[in-house]
Amino acid sequence: FYQAQQAKVGSIGRALFNLKFDNTEKEKDWIYRVGEHCLAHNLNNDMELDLWLDLSMRYGEFFYQEEWAKTKDEQAPQELLQYFLSHQPHLAETRLKSV
């Protein structure tokens, strides 16, 4: 996971989300932890890991604990990821503007 995502964190993470680390070891630790959080939610294919990384870069390592990400029911892993993707705060703002 780390090797596949290091370039993305270094380029997209810095450019779009101002994601910065003091050194490469801290960056590596963060990427590993993000991967572990994803796996702990039973999301383990490449696309799920990639989407989880995107959410983590945008909203932080523990985005799934934020109020907007909390669900009321137990959901299957793929349903949970879909819930996170569809309930992102910037999407809620867009929905409000279009009403």
Side-chain angles (χ1 to χ4, degrees):
F1 179 71
Y2 171 74
Q3 292 173 342
Q5 303 301 338
Q6 180 184 20
K8 185 175 185 180
V9 170
S11 61
I12 295 172
R14 282 190 190 101
L16 293 180
F17 307 118
N18 201 28
L19 190 62
K20 297 177 184 171
F21 299 94
D22 294 339
N23 57 53
T24 56
E25 193 61 34
K26 287 184 180 182
E27 178 184 51
K28 184 176 183 180
D29 289 344
W30 185 85
I31 293 171
Y32 273 119
R33 286 194 313 271
V34 166
E36 288 172 353
H37 297 313
C38 186
L39 294 173
H41 285 86
N42 296 316
L43 298 162
N44 52 25
N45 72 42
D46 288 341
M47 185 170 52
E48 292 167 344
L49 288 162
D50 192 50
L51 291 169
W52 191 277
L53 178 67
D54 288 347
L55 289 166
S56 296
M57 287 190 299
R58 180 183 288 263
Y59 301 110
E61 178 182 347
F62 298 101
F63 75 88
Y64 55 91
Q65 296 175 353
E66 296 293 331
E67 194 61 39
W68 64 266
K70 291 184 180 174
T71 62
K72 293 181 172 77
D73 301 318
E74 287 294 319
Q75 295 177 318
Q78 293 77 13
E79 291 172 340
L80 181 64
L81 183 59
Q82 183 59 41
Y83 179 87
F84 292 153
L85 293 169
S86 63
H87 285 82
Q88 295 176 67
H90 78 279
L91 294 179
E93 292 169 12
T94 304
R95 284 191 296 266
L96 289 175
K97 289 177 186 176
S98 65
V99 174

